[in-house]
Amino acid sequence: MTRIQKMTLDYHFKVEQEAGSSTFGFFGFNGTAGVWRTSSIKEAGGWEDRTTVEDMDLAVRAGLKGWKFIYVGDVKVKSELPSNLKAYRRQQHRWTCGAANLFRKMGAEIILTKEVSLWRKLYLIYSFFFIRKVVAHVVPFMLYCVIIPLSVLIPEVTVPVWGVVYIPTTITLLYAIRNPSSIHFIPFWILFENVMSFHRTKATFIGLLELGNVNEWVVTEKLGRTKPVPQMLEKPRCRFWDRCTISEILVAIFLFFCATYNLVLGDDFYFVYIYLQEIAFLIVGTGFCGT
């Protein structure tokens, strides 16, 4: 779990933020390890609590005022990851839902502002928000967990090889390009990220449509360093059904059915991938991911 999170976060910091900094002088602020000019915060209108990503909200508003962001990659700052899967799910829900909701609330403001260039507006609307905060969450789940499994049930539907192999492989390699030491974790990372894309897709639509718990704030549970942490973290005792996430188990059942159908009646080998993805959903859905 730690190595998988490292791969995702390394891409976010070393690729997304460095690219945004060097190209457009903008990237989403993460709420930690940043040095701000007080005048930029005041000019942007101060902190807002209208979404669950108040740090990103401030960064976008400051960017629209013409302030530039510089990513200093050679400064190392320690940070702590969520301590268990439940905390990680909640963190990802808050980040994804909040970003989608901020896109809904600031889309028109970005388009209408006259203080930044057209290219910077295009970068914010298309690359920063639409691709990274909407498409990047919805497309993986729809492709890998819905379209490909359903295609084995409907022989008339064929998914082209470039859509199943070439493009996903290219995207995966681009993700891993800054993590050569973790290249052997890629299969596990892909399967786990597809499970998380299920939750991120739900959170994206909750944010875009401003449904029920759009502004629900759950603090990410972390172990901290206030007490000595033993070398081996003991798994807390809890009943099996308390660890289960029914929605993930239902997706696992659907994938198992599709894979078995393909194995028995199909003439291709999609069942190999679908079985692996089904196992990933089942492991995560039953809480067997450790601490």
Side-chain angles (χ1 to χ4, degrees):
M1 285 293 295
T2 302
R3 295 290 290 272
I4 286 172
Q5 289 186 67
K6 177 183 182 295
M7 291 177 70
T8 302
L9 288 172
D10 273 356
Y11 177 83
H12 173 62
F13 286 114
K14 295 180 180 179
V15 179
E16 284 186 310
Q17 294 204 346
E18 279 194 19
S21 170
S22 60
T23 309
F24 292 98
F26 175 81
F27 53 85
F29 178 52
N30 295 95
T32 60
V35 179
W36 280 78
R37 291 185 183 273
T38 308
S39 54
S40 69
I41 297 177
K42 290 180 179 179
E43 187 178 348
W47 294 96
E48 292 275 359
D49 59 357
R50 56 181 173 173
T51 70
T52 56
V53 286
E54 77 294 337
D55 43 9
M56 185 187 297
D57 188 351
L58 175 62
V60 173
R61 285 184 283 112
L64 292 179
K65 292 293 183 181
W67 287 92
K68 292 186 177 181
F69 295 68
I70 299 174
Y71 182 81
V72 186
D74 57 348
V75 177
K76 308 298 182 184
V77 181
K78 288 186 177 182
S79 186
E80 189 176 356
L81 297 173
S83 58
N84 55 57
L85 182 61
K86 185 178 180 181
Y88 183 69
R89 274 201 201 97
R90 287 177 170 173
Q91 180 200 64
Q92 294 301 301
H93 175 88
R94 189 177 78 242
W95 286 359
T96 307
C97 180
N101 191 232
L102 183 64
F103 184 31
R104 172 192 172 110
K105 291 180 175 178
M106 293 205 66
E109 184 179 342
I110 293 171
I111 294 171
L112 296 175
T113 187
K114 297 180 180 179
E115 297 183 60
V116 295
S117 67
L118 177 62
W119 288 112
R120 203 175 202 193
K121 291 182 187 180
L122 187 62
Y123 169 74
L124 280 169
I125 290 288
Y126 181 73
S127 180
F128 182 76
F129 275 118
F130 181 66
I131 296 297
R132 291 300 309 157
K133 313 304 179 189
V134 179
V135 173
H137 303 316
V138 176
V139 169
F141 173 69
M142 293 302 296
L143 176 62
Y144 293 117
C145 304
V146 178
I147 295 175
I148 292 177
L150 281 178
S151 70
V152 306
L153 303 177
I154 309 170
E156 293 79 13
V157 176
T158 57
V159 183
V161 176
W162 59 263
V164 179
V165 180
Y166 300 149
I167 292 180
T169 301
T170 303
I171 293 173
T172 302
L173 291 175
L174 289 174
Y175 256 99
I177 198 168
R178 295 303 295 266
N179 265 290
S181 62
S182 300
I183 199 82
H184 55 292
F185 275 92
I186 283 182
F188 302 101
W189 177 79
I190 291 172
L191 295 172
F192 180 75
E193 281 295 294
N194 286 344
V195 177
M196 286 297 107
S197 71
F198 170 59
H199 295 285
R200 292 178 186 134
T201 297
K202 290 192 299 182
T204 297
F205 284 109
I206 288 172
L208 288 175
L209 302 176
E210 287 200 326
L211 302 177
N213 59 343
V214 63
N215 285 321
E216 181 184 24
W217 180 275
V218 180
V219 176
T220 303
E221 180 185 349
K222 297 182 179 179
L223 294 174
R225 285 286 180 256
T226 54
K227 297 179 181 179
V229 179
Q231 289 295 101
M232 184 61 71
L233 296 171
E234 294 183 1
K235 195 170 188 178
R237 292 182 179 181
C238 66
R239 293 173 296 182
F240 173 74
W241 49 86
D242 290 336
R243 295 202 309 262
C244 292
T245 304
I246 300 301
S247 58
E248 290 172 350
I249 295 174
L250 290 175
V251 175
I253 293 171
F254 163 71
L255 293 174
F256 179 79
F257 171 75
C258 293
T260 306
Y261 181 92
N262 183 239
L263 173 63
V264 176
L265 300 174
D267 56 359
D268 51 42
F269 297 95
Y270 284 166
F271 66 86
V272 176
Y273 156 71
I274 300 174
Y275 271 133
L276 290 172
Q277 191 62 70
E278 175 264 330
I279 292 170
F281 266 98
L282 193 62
I283 290 173
V284 177
T286 51
F288 284 99
C289 282
T291 303

